[in-house]
């Protein structure tokens, strides 16, 4: 495991979707109701995970092929329609909008607010997410996430895990990448942040090994945010 240097940390960036925001709690109830209405017997939580991987994949493709960044909310709507179509479920654009803009209930993991408040006095805290800036700012405000600022990949013009995202975050924070600890529940996100020069803290939300059969390791690996706050204190 790489050596953690706590003295170097001046700022902490947090992934939002799946790290602070509980995707299953946010979307699974809405998807479950929709699938039942269509007579489909499917695991809504697994459906959320399938959709998550679909839009992450499309975001990476969007970056790889170049050109202007496609808005995140457009990618999420497109991939949700594709997943439904793959399952043979008829739906309309209004159905997609209803699921994401009306039925979804943004929900934080229960350890977020208290843990971030414990870190806030010592470090500059920021959300660093693939989401569109206006949506991220609304979520942070609505859910009272105790961060100092919100940073979107929109400000870099590409999606994570492109290294430009992490370097742009460092520029906006006016901190060298080595002075930033990036926190995420996704191994790929941590690996990219480390490659860009940041330290990485992997939050193992779902008991998934970081990167088995490889030499890649985060500087910190914990099961939850209170453990991270304890290490940083």
């Amino acid at each position: 495991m790489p050596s953690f240097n706590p003295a170097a940390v001046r700022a902490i960036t947090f992934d939002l979707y799946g790290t602070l925001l509980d995707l299953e709690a946010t979307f699974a109830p809405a998807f479950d109701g929709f699938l039942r209405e269509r007579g489909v017997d499917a695991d809504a939580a697994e459906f959320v995970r399938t959709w998550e991987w679909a839009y992450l994949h499309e975001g990476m493709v969007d970056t790889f092929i170049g050109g202007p960044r496609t808005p995140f909310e457009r990618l999420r709507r497109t991939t949700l329609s594709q997943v439904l179509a793959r399952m043979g479920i008829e739906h309309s654009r209004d159905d997609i909008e209803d699921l994401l803009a009306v039925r979804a209930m943004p929900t934080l993991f229960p350890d977020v607010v208290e843990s971030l408040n414990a870190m806030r006095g010592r470090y500059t805290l920021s959300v660093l997410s693939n989401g569109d800036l206006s949506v991220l700012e609304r979520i942070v405000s609505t859910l009272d996430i105790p961060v100092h600022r919100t940073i979107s990949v929109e400000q870099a013009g590409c999606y994570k895990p492109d290294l430009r995202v992490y370097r742009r975050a460092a520029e906006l924070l006016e901190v060298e990448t080595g002075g930033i600890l990036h926190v995420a529940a996704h191994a790929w996100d941590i690996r990219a942040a480390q490659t860009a020069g940041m330290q990485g803290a992997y939050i193992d939300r779902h008991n998934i090994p970081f990167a088995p059969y490889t030499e890649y390791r985060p500087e910190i690996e914990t099961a939850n945010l209170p453990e991270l706050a304890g290490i940083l204190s």
Side-chain angles (χ1 to χ4, degrees):
M1 180 178 294
S3 176
F4 175 54
N5 182 8
V9 178
R10 293 177 51 200
I12 306 176
T13 53
F14 295 88
D15 170 66
L16 180 66
Y17 295 101
T19 301
L20 303 184
L21 193 72
D22 186 337
L23 294 178
E24 291 183 17
T26 296
F27 295 108
F31 289 174
D32 183 65
F34 178 81
L35 294 170
R36 289 179 182 276
E37 290 166 9
R38 298 301 192 277
V40 177
D41 182 16
D43 184 336
E46 182 61 32
F47 185 95
V48 172
R49 290 189 287 271
T50 299
W51 172 52
E52 179 187 12
W53 278 110
Y55 65 68
L56 286 172
H57 175 267
E58 287 303 310
M60 293 179 190
V61 170
D62 193 74
T63 294
F64 292 156
I65 63 178
R69 168 186 166 274
T70 303
F72 187 61
E73 289 303 313
R74 188 184 305 167
L75 286 183
R76 295 214 299 170
R77 282 157 173 76
T78 297
T79 52
L80 179 54
S81 179
Q82 290 171 335
V83 172
L84 289 170
R86 193 177 304 129
M87 295 176 66
I89 300 172
E90 292 188 5
H91 61 281
S92 66
R93 178 172 293 190
D94 286 344
D95 291 328
I96 298 295
E97 200 62 29
D98 180 59
L99 281 168
L100 299 187
V102 179
R103 297 199 198 190
M105 297 295 293
T107 304
L108 295 175
F109 284 102
D111 62 357
V112 170
V113 173
E114 183 176 356
S115 299
L116 268 61
N117 272 325
M119 302 180 221
R120 196 174 190 276
R122 183 173 297 187
Y123 306 100
T124 298
L125 306 186
S126 303
V127 162
L128 174 56
S129 172
N130 272 341
D132 301 325
L133 184 59
S134 62
V135 175
L136 295 178
E137 289 177 337
R138 183 167 65 249
I139 291 173
V140 168
S141 174
T142 300
L143 298 182
D144 292 323
I145 304 176
V147 292
H148 297 94
R149 69 178 301 164
T150 303
I151 302 173
S152 165
V153 299
E154 182 178 336
Q155 292 159 284
C158 55
Y159 282 102
K160 293 190 290 181
D162 192 291
L163 302 189
R164 289 173 291 176
V165 170
Y166 308 92
R167 291 166 180 159
R168 178 59 176 153
E171 290 175 359
L172 292 169
L173 292 169
E174 299 182 339
V175 177
E176 295 293 328
T177 55
I180 299 174
L181 177 69
H182 184 58
V183 181
H186 315 291
W188 58 265
D189 198 359
I190 296 298
R191 286 181 59 192
Q194 290 175 307
T195 302
M198 296 179 177
Q199 299 190 74
Y202 177 60
I203 309 301
D204 190 2
R205 290 286 192 195
H206 304 292
N207 194 30
I208 299 173
F210 180 79
Y213 316 118
T214 75
E215 72 278 16
Y216 298 111
R217 292 292 181 272
E219 278 78 11
I220 299 173
E221 184 168 357
T222 70
N224 51 53
L225 289 175
E227 286 186 16
L228 176 63
I231 292 170
L232 295 176
S233 68

